[in-house]
Amino acid sequence: MSAEDDTGAASGTNGDQDTTHTARLLGVPLDLGANRRGVDMGPSAIRYADISAELDTAGVGCVDDGDLEVPRLETSSPASNADDSGAASNAKYLDEIGEVTATLADAVATTIDDGATPLVLGGDHAVAMGSMFGAGRHADDGIGVIWFDAHGDYNTPATSPSGNVHGMPLAAAHGRGSFADLDWADTDAVSEENTVLVGIRRLDEEERAALRESEATVFTMREIDERGITAVVEDALEIATDGVDGIHVSLDLDWLDPTVVPGVGTPVRGGVDYREAHAALELVAERDREADILRSMDVVEVNPILDRDNQTAEVAAELAASAFGKRIL
């Protein structure tokens, strides 16, 4: 693990890598937003994959703040009281997830104020609400978002077929539907114009319509097939960084093909391969070296129960290191 100098910059052990970040790990063992048990063990699995060593190899200081306390499924009620009109009643555990979102947002904002970069370890993708809201709290010009995922996560409580909140965080950040009435959900800091979804290959019907109507940019897997990962991610970075204070990168491991990452709860065939994923995150790091654009990141949906030999967690740790600057040469 690397130490910090007096300015807060990382002083990693690998002198060949840039030392522009100190990563602060924030574990959020949340599984209330998903439909399969086990994703709450994701932070532990990623730590077991030695993410701190991966970051150290990238020349990045690593401070582990441990896990946030989150409500457990066994003591929570799936019924939501967040909206007395009943509009949010289809969002399971919404009150409990709202509490986690508020707590995580505080931790992320504090981390940024301290001069470090929050690296949030999920847990299901509902944790991204807290990551984004915290990252945008003191951003005068807002933040951009790059969403690496197989899914759009653009449902609202009214449109979700399942009621699982891990399919709603982007819609929440944009104040869609009943999320506009929840103080902890909607945030002006995350604009649709600076939101880019990359590698999407499965959308619900109403979710598809909402994304078409929105000002968010969606690059599907077909565009990656036709144009290549480099061209697509370079375009995504241009859009996400335009006129903002920095970007939040959200990496759902089901973005990759399930042959590469078996330990995810909602696998979709036809995802990016191992090398494409690294190339994408390396491009994020390259832009960050040029313009200091990486404000925060989350790595989510690692489910050890479904995994083989911790393979998915290892890929998660490696990809996070690539985003923070690890490179071949």
Side-chain angles (χ1 to χ4, degrees):
M1 185 174 293
S2 304
E4 292 179 12
D5 63 23
D6 291 339
T7 66
S11 52
T13 59
N14 188 337
D16 293 333
Q17 305 284 5
D18 290 332
T19 55
T20 56
H21 286 292
T22 295
R24 182 171 293 172
L25 304 183
L26 302 170
V28 189
L30 181 72
D31 68 349
L32 298 179
N35 63 344
R36 303 181 76 169
R37 303 302 307 273
V39 73
D40 58 315
M41 296 185 286
S44 294
I46 297 171
R47 289 188 179 98
Y48 186 74
D50 213 351
I51 189 171
S52 61
E54 290 287 343
L55 291 166
D56 186 66
T57 303
V60 175
C62 180
V63 177
D64 193 341
D65 274 7
D67 288 349
L68 272 64
E69 289 190 16
V70 303
R72 310 305 301 177
L73 184 141
E74 290 79 8
T75 57
S76 302
S77 170
S80 171
N81 299 314
D83 184 348
D84 292 336
S85 70
S89 61
N90 188 45
K92 300 172 186 175
Y93 306 104
L94 190 60
D95 288 341
E96 291 87 347
I97 292 171
E99 294 173 7
V100 175
T101 294
T103 302
L104 177 57
D106 288 343
V108 167
T110 298
T111 297
I112 294 171
D113 289 345
D114 289 345
T117 304
L119 177 53
V120 178
L121 310 179
D124 68 63
H125 215 160
V127 307
M129 293 188 290
S131 304
M132 289 185 287
F133 305 156
R137 181 170 294 173
H138 300 144
D140 293 337
D141 294 317
I143 62 170
V145 173
I146 298 184
W147 201 262
F148 294 111
D149 202 329
H151 308 87
D153 294 345
Y154 216 64
N155 273 302
T156 66
T159 67
S160 172
S162 67
N164 296 321
V165 179
H166 73 162
M168 306 182 195
L170 263 186
H174 291 167
R176 293 265 163 173
S178 58
F179 286 118
D181 299 323
L182 301 178
D183 292 340
W184 55 263
D186 182 16
T187 172
D188 292 336
V190 181
S191 71
E192 294 180 9
E193 296 91 336
N194 294 109
T195 298
V196 190
L197 297 82
V198 179
I200 303 303
R201 55 192 187 276
R202 178 172 292 174
L203 297 170
D204 297 316
E205 184 92 18
E206 293 191 60
E207 185 181 33
R208 182 182 296 110
L211 280 167
R212 284 176 173 167
E213 179 268 332
S214 79
E215 296 184 68
T217 300
V218 182
F219 293 116
T220 66
M221 275 304 303
R222 176 171 177 172
E223 287 169 276
I224 292 175
D225 292 339
E226 292 176 346
R227 299 175 54 212
I229 192 70
T230 298
V232 169
V233 174
E234 285 178 344
D235 284 353
L237 284 163
E238 288 297 322
I239 296 165
T241 59
D242 185 22
V244 298
D245 287 348
I247 66 170
H248 173 71
V249 173
S250 192
L251 173 63
D252 187 322
L253 267 294
D254 70 26
W255 181 52
L256 285 84
D257 193 84
T259 58
V260 181
V261 288
V264 297
T266 52
V268 183
R269 288 181 291 184
V272 299
D273 63 27
Y274 178 80
R275 188 55 241 162
E276 286 175 321
H278 273 289
L281 276 303
E282 287 163 7
L283 287 169
V284 171
E286 183 178 298
R287 183 66 63 91
D288 187 55
R289 284 192 290 271
E290 296 170 355
D292 191 24
I293 53 97
L294 183 60
R295 193 169 175 89
S296 56
M297 181 176 182
D298 48 50
V299 180
V300 301
E301 298 286 355
V302 173
N303 191 325
I305 290 178
L306 305 173
D307 207 4
R308 293 195 294 269
D309 301 321
N310 216 35
Q311 177 179 334
T312 303
E314 290 176 359
V315 172
E318 292 172 7
L319 290 175
S322 284
F324 276 78
K326 185 176 180 180
R327 49 188 173 175
I328 297 170
L329 182 62

